[in-house]
Amino acid sequence: MVKFGSRDNRPRLVLLSSISTSIVLVILFLFGAISTNALREEVAYTQVDMAAGSIFVFVITMIISLSLWPKVMDWLEKKDKNKVISK
């Protein structure tokens, strides 16, 4: 059921998954920072803080997701192969 294509395509898929994960988390970070600024009477974060925080979140999540996505894909493929074998 879970097919990620050939082994040659795996690095591209891992990179795209990592980028998309990082972008989603950066959007969540920005939403939190902007909503915090909107709810308080005074400005909690400046635009520089939010830009630097976004870059930091993007870099950290890229590092983490580039190491996690290959393991997740291997686990899903192994799980799928075990289902096929047990049938």
Side-chain angles (χ1 to χ4, degrees):
M1 182 182 285
V2 178
K3 267 200 165 175
F4 294 111
S6 68
R7 284 283 198 197
D8 298 333
N9 226 4
R10 172 77 58 95
R12 177 179 289 164
L13 189 61
V14 168
L15 180 65
L16 291 176
S17 300
S18 298
I19 290 172
S20 61
T21 302
S22 297
I23 289 172
V24 166
L25 290 173
V26 165
I27 290 170
L28 288 174
F29 170 79
L30 282 174
F31 176 73
I34 292 170
S35 63
T36 300
N37 272 351
L39 293 175
R40 293 190 177 185
E41 292 178 9
E42 60 186 40
V43 176
Y45 305 110
T46 64
Q47 288 181 351
V48 174
D49 292 337
M50 289 189 277
S54 298
I55 293 168
F56 178 76
V57 167
F58 184 80
V59 170
I60 292 298
T61 55
M62 279 296 289
I63 292 169
I64 293 170
S65 62
L66 280 172
S67 65
L68 288 180
W69 272 115
K71 293 177 184 177
V72 169
M73 289 180 188
D74 286 341
W75 178 76
L76 288 173
E77 285 179 353
K78 185 177 178 183
K79 182 179 168 184
D80 188 45
K81 285 180 184 176
N82 287 341
K83 271 188 187 177
V84 171
I85 291 173
S86 65
K87 286 184 179 181

